[in-house]
Amino acid sequence: MTTYGSFPGTRPRRLRSNPVMRRMVAETRLHPADFILPAFVREGVSEPVPIGAMPGVVQHTRDSLKKAAAEAVAAGISGIMLFGVPEESKKDALGTPGTDPDGILQVALRDVRAEVGDDLLVMSDLCLDETTDHGHCGVLDAEGRVDNDATLERYAEMAQVQADAGAHVVGPSGMMDGQVGVVRDALDQIGREDVAILAYTAKYASAFYGPFREAVGSSLRGDRKTYQQDPANVRDSMRELALDLEEGADMVMVKPAGPYLDILARVADAVDVPVAAYQISGEYSMIEAAAERGWIDRDRAIMEALTGIRRAGARNILTYWATEAAQKLNRQ
């Protein structure tokens, strides 16, 4: 046999020869504790409402949300991120349901904490987009632009009511300048130094959010390009990262996950705090749609996508498959 460099003495395929060998030398492993389940709870419904663009995902009732939280605990995942969907008639320009102690998100936080206690990290989306009649993540000025500083005042109120309702972690996701510092101050003012902040540090103005808009009943007019990040940019994300850490972020996030694995890797290499990534609705829906048509192996595609996110540097992954993926891992 002709020798080519170190071949035939060196044969990398020896380490791929059977399932046990591949498992032993695997560099990246998924674990149920890696996962956080995003979940939607809708006000005024008596049965869970299927989300057409996200097969298998629903807008929960209060009761079905509690069941989903209990299933998450049983599967061993780490957290549940709650999004509240108020009745359309209650939305207004200021997003009043977001700071109403009896708003659907705050009610759901209390429900889930009563159901699972500290066995699951109860996380809350801290943003106004689900509660405003215009669908933007902040308060608008007289010219219809998102007013950064007026929005921060609303975020401070939201942080306090969400903490009072039982959130272990708040996730300011609106991409307002200064949001992490304002939220930290607001929490500390009411003696809630124990509540952690998961900063949406790199949140891009992505086309992949489409199905999420249905999930939260979005009233958005226009787009969010003036405050979410440009998909073309990397340095912008690193600047946001430095600012969020300076303002007191306990954890940082990259969103979306799959199309931005390079950003995720850069962030993970740069920090010593936990890094999360959000596998968003469009990523979920593409795999589900392709699998439904028989174009890909659904289960393999799910686990491969999650492994890729973990390999790129995510300590935790927000994914709509959180409970299902954890159950699969538990059976292995």
Side-chain angles (χ1 to χ4, degrees), residues 176-182 184 197 242-249:
M176 297 298 118
D177 295 340
Q179 63 184 12
V180 172
V182 166
R184 183 72 271 158
I197 297 176
L243 292 169
D244 283 354
L245 293 174
E246 182 181 349
E247 292 173 28

Side-chain angles (χ1 to χ4, degrees), residues 216-234:
V216 297
S218 175
S219 305
L220 180 65
R221 298 188 292 271
D223 58 49
R224 299 187 173 116
K225 293 180 180 179
T226 61
Y227 46 102
Q228 293 179 354
Q229 290 173 262
D230 185 338
N233 292 342
V234 176

Side-chain angles (χ1 to χ4, degrees), residues 244-258:
D244 283 354
L245 293 174
E246 182 181 349
E247 292 173 28
D250 299 289
M251 300 170 278
V252 296
M253 186 198 294
V254 174
K255 180 181 182 182

